[in-house]
């Protein structure tokens, strides 16, 4: 049985894009299983995601045949197999709840990814609660002075492993602007607040001090502008006056891990398209 | 500026439906603004909703030209203007919180409907909390013996007013099977529980007795099978041991009115398609 | 049957407060129906709410007898009847969804309040969607120059009507510092964002521009520091990339009205105690 | 520093219970940190939870001195240290997401428990995704014929290990009535539906077939009456028409593990009191 393919594309809107794209796939013998589109009336941009069974045709041939149409309409696009897991590099500091959660989801086959390595600025012993198994572990300590070298090493790792996505699973270090740019659109961070509230450090303490009645977490693409990257997913939980910062940290762990896992899943399934500083998210 | 049109359709799935439908609209000069589809892999049925700007073409001409394609593919379909409010008949008993809410939403222009009448089995004085204004009010009392006549009168009202949708906004009477059939797919009820839990009468008292920690409400199409109609929308709220049945009734009012309003809005925007005993809901 | 009384108090924490307070009520023949307390371990302050049936004793006598104990422990306290509705003054601008909602809740007897007047900076015709009935309506236009006089007029109204609470039900004007101070602890505002995100004007447009995936509303006590007052209640709803600012405004109306109504109910039931720039909220 | 103690009690309601209980603790030199109570006006029963610092007094002495008062008022009661982790036996079948989650929470110190053993009706290899470490693992297969012996073995394990709580963490076997009775009030099960909807087997498939728009999970004490035990906690997530049973299973895993973990935490913190077929849950 042929592998289901996912086509994603964005371009300037104009009449007939849907008809031409779906017409092309039909002509090649493909059958569309899911299709979603979005016209951003403000920007005039068009976004589309199509999951299709290529039928008798070869996926490579469909891809090759699509290129001229894509070029004509000025598309940013890709066609990838839905069945092939993506290579993912995980980066983490001392708190390993997001790491442990992502690894568990991978192990039970719920997350279509292949973890090619774990980068941590602390030694492996710091992550004693997570079941890392034989995933390559890279202890890459970092401080202000060593950041350029450390980031150079991370870059090499990304290249060597072929990592298609880097996930900052509570990696409590700020990436340099250069690194953030280099990873643009392929690096997801989890921030432990409901952005744009409580940017920066110690958001749960900020939330407690302000006396909010709900806390949250935000998964976003990393950009040079800290805590300002395009938001992929957010979720929240109610809290009360009786919750101390420690309680918020505990409650927050649950929110963080499910928000990050959902954002990673959405990305891995090609459901997130960049729209300037925002995202288009095609949920099923 | 031409009125945006909404095409909805369902039929047996087969390759090329999307391409042929969107190709037809493009050929006629239309521009697609939103498009969503769903393949039910279990039943083999296909569902689609397309919002399009007809461009220079006449909506009637597009509709006429679409008929042969629809016939060929065995579609259940419609093309309607998004701008034209639908005629709605509201039915209510003594509790008027859903009625008051729907009428307020209509008055501020948020709900694309034209309320053509209110049917109540109690006199108008019973609804003293809702702002009915000059909407035609029909006091149609009903008991076991008079139900056939009363329902006949409601049928006439539906025909006379041209009502396209009947909303049971806490109308505490069970429709006869014949009436339910006659209104199939165009009659929405709000049940004050999270179905399928607590069917039947006094659901909040049932919920209290069972000791659940969450209550809810369910908006569904009315069928002869009471509380078993296709579900359109549901929502819930947490409760505690300290909530007495009266508190559940109070908290429930908020859930009921927002669940019913959302279901009615989804229906009015042609976002709900019937799929046997279930629904396909295309949210924006 | 005697009226249930609500005792609320806050003071420096020390051993034995609960025992002395509940012992006093027991000695006077009262029976405690609900009791909640909170020790703020950071500030060292203690907060308590007790609902009690005074039994054969007179509520005034219990109040009088409590004063020496309260003085000894340095309490900020009150004992009020739970059955007596509070006098409330509503202030509103052009958007009347919160006003309409609060008035409906009052009419059906769900909100223990007596609306003694409505202040609006627009003429009564502007609020044509809400059912105001014969509630005294005060058109008090305001601009930068006339603000001192207008606020003086509002102060007079508060005094004349005996209003115990002022609710800014989407009153789109900033109160002067003096006015905010004068109403401290007895004026609730609804801000149409999930504070501290999107302070200031047009929060839904800010939310859309930032690309957040959840919007919210915040009810808080008014202080001179705009949008920084102690938060009473917050709630949120998910949104998507397809929601335009107008959709956010529509979805936000539902959140605003239920958040404000809940905050007002909590205040009217003496469930909200001030704790510096935060609140202690004793839910049932 | 002395260990904080938790007093929980229930008895027939009568005036003065709070005063006598808090008075007793004050007299012994204790300081109350948290106190909550609930009068069930329907049943006439009273429930209370008090967290107190025993001060200079000995916890055993306080316990001993409390017994006469408890006897006089006919209390069901306990006083336990908040700091001492409870012994817990986990039972599981093939799906280990709840197990893995509870173990992770224990490892990071968030759950005040000491897992004294894991019982599984499949061999250890079946749970290859969870990090069991050196926790005693008992493979106790069961079928209709062997159930009495298997349950006898579980009983012995409970006695040998001193387990104070048994958690059915997706243990897909029905306990015998005798076993359920023997574990009454100290055995928590997670049912993968929002009870009372979809009792029995394959609830996600039932939910899909019915076309509900929200799924949930329910943690409850086990009773002989299957899926009818007192509910401790419930939570839900929205789903859509596009979710197939497999998607519901995936989404359900997240709900199940957080609902079960919350219920276990509430129980371990002595926050859940039985009230007939329902529970009183004193959240902080």
């Amino acid at each position: 049985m042929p592998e289901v393919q996912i086509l994603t594309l964005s371009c300037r809107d104009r009449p007939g894009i849907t008809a031409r794209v779906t017409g092309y796939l039909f002509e090649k013998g493909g059958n569309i299983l899911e299709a979603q589109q979005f016209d951003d009336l403000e920007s005039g941009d068009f976004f589309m995601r199509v999951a299709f069974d290529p039928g008798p045709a070869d996926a490579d041939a469909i891809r090759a045949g699509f290129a001229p149409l894509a070029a004509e309409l000025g598309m940013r696009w890709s066609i990838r197999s839905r069945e092939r897991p993506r290579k993912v590099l995980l980066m983490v500091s001392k708190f390993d709840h997001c790491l442990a959660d992502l690894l568990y989801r991978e192990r039970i086959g719920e997350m279509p990814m292949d973890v090619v390595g774990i980068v941590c600025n602390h030694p492996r012993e710091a992550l004693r609660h997570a079941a890392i198994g034989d995933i390559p572990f890279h202890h890459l300590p970092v401080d202000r002075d060593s950041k350029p070298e450390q980031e150079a090493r991370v870059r090499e790792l990304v290249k060597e492993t072929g990592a298609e996505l880097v996930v900052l699973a509570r990696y409590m270090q700020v990436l340099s602007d250069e690194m953030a740019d280099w990873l643009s659109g392929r690096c997801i961070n989890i921030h432990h607040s409901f952005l744009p509230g409580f940017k920066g450090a110690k958001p749960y303490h900020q939330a407690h001090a302000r006396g909010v009645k709900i806390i949250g977490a935000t998964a976003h693409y990393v950009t040079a502008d800290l805590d300002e990257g395009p938001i992929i997913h957010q979720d929240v939980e109610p809290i009360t006056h009786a919750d101390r910062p420690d309680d918020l940290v505990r409650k927050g762990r649950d929110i963080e891990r499910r928000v990050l896992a959902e954002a990673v899943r959405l990305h891995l399934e090609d459901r997130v398209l960049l729209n300037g500083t925002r995202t288009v998210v095609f949920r099923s």
Side-chain angles (χ1 to χ4, degrees), chain A:
Chain A
M1 193 174 158
E3 294 186 345
V4 171
Q5 303 291 314
I6 308 291
L7 162 65
T8 55
L9 65 90
S10 59
C11 60
R12 298 298 298 166
D13 191 25
R14 45 184 284 180
I17 301 174
T18 309
R20 292 187 66 184
V21 169
T22 60
Y24 170 78
L25 295 173
F26 178 52
E27 176 193 304
K28 293 289 177 189
N31 189 28
I32 295 175
L33 302 174
E34 284 180 68
Q36 287 159 294
Q37 62 174 70
F38 172 63
D39 295 288
D40 186 333
L41 298 178
E42 289 166 52
S43 68
D45 287 331
F46 175 87
F47 302 83
M48 191 173 199
R49 178 186 187 273
V50 181
F52 65 96
D53 175 344
D58 180 66
D60 285 337
I62 289 186
R63 200 177 290 112
F66 190 73
L69 175 58
E72 179 194 333
L73 297 177
M75 290 178 185
R76 177 178 178 164
W77 69 286
S78 75
I79 295 179
R80 304 189 223 206
S81 165
R82 194 178 64 181
E83 324 300 333
R84 191 181 56 76
R86 300 291 178 79
K87 290 184 170 128
V88 177
L89 183 71
L90 302 177
M91 296 182 73
V92 65
S93 288
K94 272 187 181 168
F95 302 115
D96 63 7
H97 54 283
C98 286
L99 175 72
D101 182 61
L102 289 171
L103 294 179
Y104 180 78
R105 292 178 195 268
E106 184 201 27
R107 285 201 298 278
I108 66 169
E110 137 181 345
M111 193 70 85
M113 68 181 180
D114 175 15
V115 178
V116 295
I118 295 170
V119 167
C120 182
N121 56 331
H122 296 281
R124 183 164 177 151
E125 301 81 73
L127 305 182
R128 66 190 181 283
H129 306 307
I132 292 177
D134 53 4
I135 299 171
F137 181 89
H138 309 275
H139 175 208
L140 300 180
V142 63
D143 57 23
R144 187 176 299 195
D145 290 341
S146 66
K147 182 173 285 196
E149 291 150 72
Q150 195 251 18
E151 291 193 341
R153 182 69 195 111
V154 174
R155 258 183 229 226
E156 278 168 41
L157 271 174
V158 170
K159 289 177 191 164
E160 286 165 21
T161 58
E164 298 161 274
L165 176 68
V166 174
V167 176
L168 307 189
R170 296 299 306 269
Y171 178 67
M172 312 297 283
Q173 300 295 321
V174 177
L175 300 188
S176 70
D177 289 5
E178 295 70 32
M179 189 70 175
D181 278 349
W182 188 70
L183 288 171
S184 176
R186 53 187 179 133
C187 181
I188 296 176
N189 181 49
I190 180 74
H191 183 77
H192 43 313
S193 90
F194 183 67
L195 289 173
F198 310 127
K199 296 177 191 172
K202 290 196 166 275
Y204 293 126
H205 290 76
Q206 291 184 57
H208 178 73
R210 179 62 187 90
V212 292
K213 300 301 186 186
I214 293 178
I215 55 169
T218 304
H220 62 92
Y221 286 114
V222 171
T223 55
D225 207 351
L226 188 66
D227 297 341
E228 291 289 344
I231 293 172
I232 302 169
H233 187 53
Q234 300 186 290
D235 204 355
V236 297
E237 289 285 339
I239 59 168
T240 79
H241 59 268
D243 286 305
R244 282 170 292 182
D246 276 2
D247 298 306
L248 302 192
V249 167
R250 173 176 60 79
K251 292 186 175 183
R253 277 194 295 262
D254 273 36
I255 315 174
E256 290 161 34
R257 64 184 194 171
R258 73 171 187 262
V259 167
L260 180 59
E262 176 73 355
V264 169
R265 190 185 65 80
L266 290 167
H267 177 94
L268 293 175
E269 294 180 6
D270 284 312
R271 295 184 179 281
V272 191
L273 283 75
L274 277 170
N275 182 15
T277 59
R278 296 179 290 171
T279 62
V280 171
V281 179
F282 290 125
R283 293 173 178 280
S284 63

